[in-house]
Amino acid sequence: MFPKTNLYRKRKLYRTPGLCEQQLRCRFSSLPSPPPPGTWSQLHRLPHRDLYRLSVTDPDRFWGSAAVDRLRWMRPFHQVRDCDFSSGKINWFVGGKINVSVNCLDVHAENHPDRVALIWERDEPGTEVKVTYRELLETTCRLANTLKSHEIKKGDRVAIYMPVSPIAVAAMLACARIGAVHTMVFAGFSSEALAAKIQDAQCKAVITCNQGVRGGRLIHLKSTVDAAVRSCTSIQHIFVSQRTEQPVVMGELDVPLDEMMSQHASVCPPEPLDSEDSLFLLYTSGSTGKPKGIVHTQAGYLLYTSMTHQYVFDYRDGDVFGCVADVGWITGHSYVVYGPLCNGATTVLFESTPVYPDPGRYWEMVERLRINQFYSTPTALRLLLKYDDCWVKKYDRSSLRTLGSVGEPINHEAWHWFHSVVGEGRCPLVDTWWQTETGGICIAPHPLEEGAPIIPAMAMRPFFGIQPVLMGEKGETLTGDSVSGALCISQPWPGMARSIYGDHQRFIDAYFKVYHGYYFTGDGAHRSEDGYYQITGRMDDVINVSGHRLGTAEIEDALDEHPAVPETAVIGIPHDIKGEVPFAFVVLKEDVGDDPTAILQHLRGLVANKITKYAVPEHFLVVKRLPKTRSGKIMRRILRKVVLETTNDLGDVSTLDDPSVVKEIVETYDLKK
Ligand code: WTA
């Protein structure tokens, strides 16, 4: 328990030389001293091994002191945490009032207003735009005032459907400034997918652009929003920014964003928010068809993303941080926007693709922007390594210090190429494991124990405060090393999700019931003989296409809409570049004739329209029936074995309703091959 003192005022004093020690001692008078010392400014000097130990043995002291020292509070918290996994209760920094935008903007605009906050690496190389902390604060305030003047207030949900751009970042931070809850929807999602999210979150407004530009192509965002909003009664305003010159027809709900912003003041008082007020929702895929709106809150999320950003990537003051993720994904939220900005970094917003205008794009950008940390995905690396190394080598990469990978297991070939060709063997490469639900990186080789190695293609070590546990098939905790099981986390950490929007019971059922009292990640993992973690992949019906999560049930839902299709089963199968791709088994009505080509074409369109293009199955197989258990559940495991041609080892099929179905599907598959 922290004493109820005015920590915010004290934190300002800590910064004054000479007062720190004294203030700290009185602040932590109830704690043993020394050793170990009690405040973050002292604690962070401990060797990483000791810091980790402290973070799991005394999380209150570890996270409490970090939160006091690293964040600016409007009112101090009085309790570090109040959590109970079995009831899904997760509260951090109880009683505190904070504003995330103040920590990401005002703090830095006061100290170094002219430092570049954002480098917008636009689609066309060499046309980057730099935005300083002062400018970003002003833009954010203008946008916040525009939202306020349209009656958007604390607690309202606002959808953001925008390409990677400073205005998208300002929109996120403007919501944070006034306490509105943003829900970013990746600007590649279809109108139906966007509508489903707006409806679930009951958003009051959408912020969008007229068009997006990616890989030299125009994407008509506003017309997608218009189509989505037709079925969304909650939407009162559509704010439209102009990314291109192309005018759009403005309807009744539309507000010209850039014009309105120019009429509003560049100062907006920040709303004091509870540590546990929602900051954003982000929809992700689970094992049922209904996407879930993962809820993240203020202080804990910000502290966790800023600390992981600093420690995992060895971020140092003044570095240029290059995470090439889209802001519509959690990686963009945590490591393009919130983590880097909280640390006062210069963060790169990458609008383009890795191969536009050629496969040298990333490395030409690294040279031009002098990027220090480069964070990408295995799927992009697998694509790039197929080209000649000269695309990398012709650019100066000497600014690079840390390389990172996220999204799916990284294979050895991609790891070694990234490490030795891109990083010239001199930059540590961190494979970072985490999820939308975890808020930030949970397992990564950094921070290193002094002198310890990085093992290729392995996430390795838990971050501060993370206690991984592996579970066996019977739900038992697997102790010792050289074991594989379901990856769980036994203790809460500040960055973790707090709920599923509108369905807390689903949150409890999905994450805390499977292994009672533990957070279940949905992933399998192996603990090596040295005690390091290797992620082996999803254990549920979630697949990972180019690092994007998709529920097989979501794709099936879209396919099943076709009147000639009574049922389908989708599985993920390995793919060289994308990691996995969807494979659909389709049962057709008997009266549809012999040639299913037209139907399959229609099915492709259905998935692209309902979800997005990358969800469209790469393979279809028309079958008479699907393998099911006696209780009617589709056994996708068997379908996977058919495609991988491992049906000689089917495992336990005692629950299979009619075993002859396996032979039937194998024959159909062999014929089609
Ligand atoms: C997978 C992305 C292996 C994993 C940040 C997880 C990984 C899911 C890794 C979350 C990694 C992410 N190694 N697998 N380094 N990083 N994953 O919510 O299956 O889009 O559960 O968050 O991606 O995907 P999400």
Side-chain angles (χ1 to χ4, degrees):
M1 196 68 106
F2 270 55
K4 293 187 186 187
T5 50
N6 191 342
L7 302 182
Y8 176 47
R9 216 173 47 227
K10 282 189 174 168
R11 183 194 180 224
K12 286 208 128 183
L13 291 177
Y14 294 167
R15 287 188 169 163
T16 317
L19 283 175
C20 305
E21 295 271 311
Q22 193 189 351
Q23 287 288 334
L24 296 181
R25 242 174 276 128
C26 89
R27 172 79 187 71
F28 287 93
S29 52
S30 59
L31 302 173
S33 94
T39 73
W40 186 249
S41 46
Q42 295 170 317
L43 286 178
H44 85 278
R45 295 200 192 96
L46 287 173
H48 290 143
R49 182 193 291 265
D50 296 346
L51 258 185
Y52 176 76
R53 196 174 303 133
L54 180 72
S55 75
V56 292
T57 54
D58 193 351
D60 280 15
R61 179 194 300 248
F62 180 89
W63 294 113
S65 57
V68 170
D69 245 30
R70 296 178 61 108
L71 300 180
R72 178 180 290 184
W73 293 88
M74 291 163 146
R75 189 178 79 193
F77 54 91
H78 58 77
Q79 187 180 357
V80 174
R81 54 185 185 138
D82 176 21
C83 305
D84 171 22
F85 270 177
S86 48
S87 62
K89 178 174 76 170
I90 300 143
N91 295 300
W92 283 86
F93 312 118
V94 183
K97 293 264 186 206
I98 194 164
N99 188 286
V100 165
S101 78
V102 168
N103 282 276
C104 290
L105 298 173
D106 305 50
V107 169
H108 312 300
E110 283 164 22
N111 293 334
H112 38 75
D114 296 322
R115 180 182 290 180
V116 174
L118 311 175
I119 304 180
W120 184 22
E121 172 69 6
R122 301 197 310 166
D123 196 45
E124 214 46 55
T127 65
E128 73 272 12
V129 172
K130 296 185 175 166
V131 181
T132 65
Y133 272 95
R134 183 181 13 169
E135 288 164 343
L136 185 58
L137 173 61
E138 286 177 7
T139 309
T140 300
C141 287
R142 287 183 197 280
L143 214 160
N145 286 328
T146 307
L147 295 179
K148 269 166 74 174
S149 71
H150 288 81
E151 266 102 54
I152 308 237
K153 46 185 195 316
K154 182 179 163 186
D156 288 341
R157 274 83 54 217
V158 175
I160 304 177
Y161 187 71
M162 287 181 133
V164 180
S165 53
I167 193 82
V169 176
M172 295 165 83
L173 293 167
C175 289
R177 193 142 191 108
I178 64 173
V181 181
H182 62 72
T183 177
M184 297 281 293
V185 179
F186 170 60
F189 275 128
S190 68
S191 60
E192 284 198 42
L194 171 62
K197 287 155 193 152
I198 292 176
Q199 286 161 5
D200 187 79
Q202 285 295 292
C203 295
K204 204 165 171 182
V206 192
I207 309 178
T208 190
C209 288
N210 62 335
Q211 293 180 313
V213 191
R214 200 151 178 269
R217 288 189 313 119
L218 291 174
I219 307 152
H220 303 285
L221 299 178
K222 175 61 166 51
S223 47
T224 307
V225 171
D226 288 341
V229 164
R230 261 178 238 132
S231 60
C232 302
T233 47
S234 62
I235 293 291
Q236 296 174 7
H237 310 287
I238 304 173
F239 297 94
V240 190
S241 175
Q242 290 286 134
R243 166 63 182 88
T244 62
E245 299 293 311
Q246 178 76 34
V248 283
V249 184
M250 297 296 266
E252 230 178 273
L253 303 179
D254 300 343
V255 180
L257 184 60
D258 313 292
E259 204 179 303
M260 289 304 293
M261 282 170 61
S262 65
Q263 292 165 20
H264 281 284
S266 59
V267 176
C268 173
E271 183 80 26
L273 297 165
D274 264 24
S275 298
E276 286 301 337
D277 279 334
S278 298
L279 174 63
F280 66 83
L281 312 179
L282 191 57
Y283 282 83
T284 188
S285 300
S287 21
T288 68
K290 198 172 176 283
K292 29 189 185 180
I294 300 296
V295 179
H296 281 287
T297 58
Q298 313 275 332
Y301 171 79
L302 189 65
L303 180 68
Y304 195 75
T305 51
S306 64
M307 286 181 64
T308 44
H309 171 251
Q310 179 190 334
Y311 281 93
V312 173
F313 298 103
D314 184 26
Y315 167 77
R316 298 177 206 162
D317 211 27
D319 281 349
V320 177
F321 188 76
C323 166
V324 288
D326 192 288
V327 284
W329 306 118
I330 191 67
T331 310
H333 282 57
S334 301
Y335 301 111
V336 174
V337 181
Y338 289 113
L341 292 182
C342 187
N343 288 334
T346 297
T347 180
V348 175
L349 306 175
F350 184 67
E351 189 183 39
S352 194
T353 80
V355 288
Y356 181 77
D358 59 49
R361 177 61 188 263
Y362 280 163
W363 325 119
E364 185 273 326
M365 172 177 80
V366 165
E367 174 182 291
R368 181 163 32 84
L369 306 183
R370 304 295 300 158
I371 289 174
N372 301 109
Q373 290 87 4
F374 186 80
Y375 193 26
S376 183
T377 58
T379 188
L381 300 170
R382 285 192 297 260
L383 174 69
L384 294 175
L385 67 79
K386 301 244 180 280
Y387 295 90
D388 197 290
D389 289 351
C390 74
W391 286 110
V392 183
K393 291 185 173 158
K394 67 175 162 178
Y395 299 108
D396 173 12
R397 284 118 46 233
S398 59
S399 59
L400 287 175
R401 208 170 61 237
T402 310
L403 303 173
S405 164
V406 62
E408 52 179 314
I410 181 166
N411 49 317
H412 282 266
E413 188 189 13
W415 196 96
H416 286 289
W417 182 80
F418 198 18
H419 185 252
S420 48
V421 178
V422 176
E424 298 166 316
R426 61 174 179 82
C427 305
L429 164 48
V430 290
D431 174 18
T432 63
W433 175 87
W434 59 294
Q435 312 176 290
T436 305
E437 294 87 339
T438 68
I441 295 164
C442 288
I443 306 184
H446 277 175
L448 280 179
E449 290 151 21
E450 284 65 16
I454 290 183
I455 299 174
M458 211 183 196
M460 296 185 75
R461 302 179 175 86
F463 189 70
F464 299 138
I466 301 294
Q467 285 172 289
V469 175
L470 297 182
M471 298 292 187
E473 278 184 9
K474 298 188 186 78
E476 77 284 16
T477 310
L478 299 175
T479 51
D481 293 329
S482 288
V483 286
S484 296
L487 177 63
C488 293
I489 300 176
S490 68
Q491 293 297 324
W493 65 100
M496 70 184 301
R498 304 303 199 252
S499 193
I500 291 176
Y501 186 73
D503 199 350
H504 195 65
Q505 191 56 45
R506 189 176 172 202
F507 181 65
I508 298 170
D509 293 346
Y511 302 107
F512 304 105
K513 275 255 171 82
V514 188
Y515 299 98
H516 187 76
Y518 291 85
Y519 169 78
F520 174 48
T521 65
D523 282 316
H526 176 73
R527 188 164 50 231
S528 72
E529 53 193 25
D530 303 316
Y532 295 132
Y533 290 88
Q534 171 110 51
I535 311 300
T536 48
R538 298 292 304 189
M539 300 179 76
D540 51 15
D541 291 323
V542 172
I543 62 175
N544 197 323
V545 180
S546 303
H548 304 318
R549 260 164 82 167
L550 281 168
T552 51
E554 280 173 79
I555 307 175
E556 289 163 9
D557 271 2
L559 297 171
D560 293 350
E561 281 203 359
H562 195 290
V565 176
E567 63 177 355
T568 56
V570 173
I571 57 165
I573 61 160
H575 184 276
D576 267 6
I577 292 175
K578 299 178 188 171
E580 274 186 304
V581 287
F583 187 126
F585 291 80
V586 181
V587 178
L588 296 179
K589 279 190 182 159
E590 278 176 6
D591 54 359
V592 295
D594 285 342
D595 184 10
T597 318
I599 295 178
L600 296 185
Q601 200 46 36
H602 196 167
L603 290 177
R604 289 189 184 93
L606 266 177
V607 179
N609 288 337
K610 278 213 77 165
I611 314 175
T612 180
K613 278 203 199 106
Y614 67 72
V616 176
E618 193 120 332
H619 310 275
F620 283 89
L621 187 68
V622 177
V623 291
K624 288 204 189 72
R625 29 186 207 141
L626 296 167
K628 289 190 187 164
T629 62
R630 269 174 238 131
S631 60
K633 273 197 167 177
I634 297 171
M635 294 180 81
R636 293 183 186 76
R637 177 169 66 79
I638 290 183
L639 295 173
R640 217 167 285 130
K641 298 218 166 198
V642 172
V643 178
L644 301 179
E645 300 184 8
T646 51
T647 42
N648 48 350
D649 167 30
L650 277 181
D652 179 15
V653 286
S654 55
T655 55
L656 194 59
D657 184 34
D658 177 1
S660 70
V661 71
V662 181
K663 189 159 164 268
E664 189 180 298
I665 295 176
V666 169
E667 281 169 9
T668 320
Y669 180 68
D670 286 346
L671 272 179
K672 278 276 163 192
K673 262 198 303 181

